[in-house]
Amino acid sequence: MLGARRPHSSAALLSTVLLLHIQAAVAVSFQVLVPAGPLSAPLGGTVLLSCHLSPALSAQAMQVKWSRPQLGQDVHVYLPDGTEVQGERYRGRTELLRDRIQSGSLALRIWNLTLRDEGRYLCDFQSDTYFSDATLELHLTSSGSDPLLDVSLYKDQGVSVTCLSAGWYPEPNVLWRNSHQKILTPESEQKLQSDDGIFNVSSTVVITESSDPALTCTLSPGSPGPEKVSAIVISDTFFPRVSSWRVPLFVILVILMICVCFLILAALCLWRIHKEKGAIYTELSTFLLHLQPFMGVGPC
Ligand SMILES: *[C@@H]1O[C@H](CO)[C@@H](O)[C@H](O)[C@H]1NC(C)=O
Ligand SMILES: *[C@@H]1O[C@H](CO)[C@@H](O)[C@H](O)[C@H]1NC(C)=O
């Protein structure tokens, strides 16, 4: 009986062991999930890169590595024995959040973000028998200062208004509009990038007395984020040469010329009437000679 049952029993044992092996192989396969779409974080600020397993297996006995595949750098590695290794360039700036490692989640916090932290990150889970990874993209942003508007006279032709704003990343766009929402073309525009990647922007428009005096300068970031706007109304007093000085001068000149013509006509008439009388002619000549320094006109 015993002998007869043995072969049967060992066959059953073998198939049970095989089944367990297959089940184990199925159970350790997993997928790595990261947030869809790029993440955005402020330059100089902090970001949390999350990454987890599906199904939610424990990752305690796995190796979990955050790295920069494009740069060939390891950022932060968790080893199966529970120790961690921090990448050279990330020393003192990263932390793994291990509180949910039992459910397969290991987020990475990076602080004091610099432009070199921008780009792709690979999150890689590795068990004894299986591995999987996922990539996420980090974008950095910096919102600049409120635009400052600087007004000055422009080559006797009008007034130039310069819009200044510092501290942008990525490169922002500058847009000038008048009160009718018409877009104005700047006379000049400058975007200076400093060594740390930050942009300073300066844009100048020129307006004349006949232009719409209400202007807005809008800086919009090169990535999703709030705009910065400044507005100004240029008063007439900014056009002194044209409005309060040139027009009166022109009127005075015209009046002066009319006076001169009158005097010449009067002199001619007097000269004709008293043509024969040499004495009166002499009188008139003296009169005109006296007048000469004031009028700038010689005797007829
Ligand atoms: C991170 O920035 C803070 C100021 O926000 C500074 O005090 C600290 O020294 C910086 N740490 C590193 C590692 O650069
Ligand atoms: C940008 O502006 C800031 C603040 O006004 C200044 O400190 C910095 O030197 C400027 N950078 C460049 C490249 O002009």
Side-chain angles (χ1 to χ4, degrees):
M1 283 285 266
L2 226 118
R5 265 169 51 193
R6 261 185 103 136
H8 174 73
S9 156
S10 56
L13 192 67
L14 190 66
S15 61
T16 311
V17 167
L18 270 176
L19 194 68
L20 277 173
H21 263 281
I22 291 163
Q23 272 176 347
V26 168
V28 293
S29 82
F30 48 79
Q31 229 189 326
V32 176
L33 300 179
V34 290
L39 286 176
S40 243
L43 246 174
T46 301
V47 72
L48 188 70
L49 308 179
S50 62
C51 182
H52 67 271
L53 290 179
S54 173
L57 304 167
S58 170
Q60 197 143 30
M62 296 189 192
Q63 176 189 287
V64 185
K65 181 156 83 180
W66 280 98
S67 61
R68 306 286 307 275
Q70 287 166 316
L71 307 178
Q73 294 171 348
D74 286 354
V75 179
H76 204 126
V77 186
Y78 170 87
L79 296 166
D81 62 6
T83 57
E84 294 177 24
V85 183
Q86 209 169 28
E88 189 75 37
R89 282 212 32 245
Y90 299 86
R91 202 136 289 167
R93 294 202 296 131
T94 59
E95 176 191 14
L96 274 184
L97 305 189
R98 292 164 62 156
D99 51 330
R100 285 167 55 218
I101 195 168
Q102 297 287 356
S103 53
S105 178
L106 254 183
L108 176 72
R109 198 201 306 279
I110 312 176
W111 55 92
N112 292 34
L113 288 165
T114 70
L115 271 191
R116 289 204 284 178
D117 297 329
E118 190 169 61
R120 270 200 267 160
Y121 286 79
L122 188 76
C123 171
D124 171 352
F125 281 75
Q126 207 166 326
S127 74
D128 287 340
T129 52
Y130 199 80
F131 74 92
S132 181
D133 57 37
T135 306
L136 63 73
E137 180 105 15
L138 176 63
H139 289 173
L140 294 176
T141 61
S142 174
S143 189
S145 57
D146 285 329
L148 212 92
L149 296 174
D150 185 54
V151 180
S152 56
L153 290 177
Y154 183 77
K155 297 185 199 160
D156 290 1
Q157 294 160 24
V159 162
S160 75
V161 187
T162 302
C163 182
L164 299 160
S165 180
W168 290 90
Y169 188 84
E171 188 178 325
N173 292 310
V174 191
L175 205 61
W176 286 96
R177 284 198 197 88
N178 66 16
S179 63
H180 303 101
Q181 301 304 313
K182 187 178 167 263
I183 291 165
L184 309 176
T185 311
E187 184 78 13
S188 65
E189 193 165 293
Q190 249 190 345
K191 290 175 185 171
L192 286 178
Q193 191 174 22
S194 54
D195 294 339
D196 57 2
I198 295 286
F199 288 93
N200 287 0
V201 179
S202 149
S203 176
T204 303
V205 286
V206 171
I207 66 162
T208 57
E209 204 188 7
S210 56
S211 313
D212 187 338
L215 303 171
T216 60
C217 172
T218 305
L219 278 120
S220 43
S223 57
E227 293 185 332
K228 296 272 172 121
V229 187
S230 283
I232 195 170
V233 178
I234 307 296
S235 101
D236 283 350
T237 57
F238 277 105
F239 301 92
R241 285 164 210 223
V242 182
S243 58
S244 59
W245 194 68
R246 281 192 188 170
V247 173
L249 183 73
F250 180 72
V251 171
I252 287 166
L253 274 176
V254 167
I255 291 171
L256 264 177
M257 278 176 69
I258 291 170
C259 289
V260 167
C261 287
F262 248 102
L263 277 170
I264 290 170
L265 270 177
L268 274 175
C269 290
L270 278 172
W271 182 66
R272 266 200 189 161
I273 289 164
H274 303 284
K275 208 175 190 174
E276 295 92 31
K277 297 176 184 173
I280 289 170
Y281 175 70
T282 322
E283 262 177 52
L284 185 65
S285 308
T286 1
F287 169 64
L288 282 175
L289 273 171
H290 274 103
L291 211 60
Q292 196 180 6
F294 299 101
M295 304 310 292
V297 183
C300 305

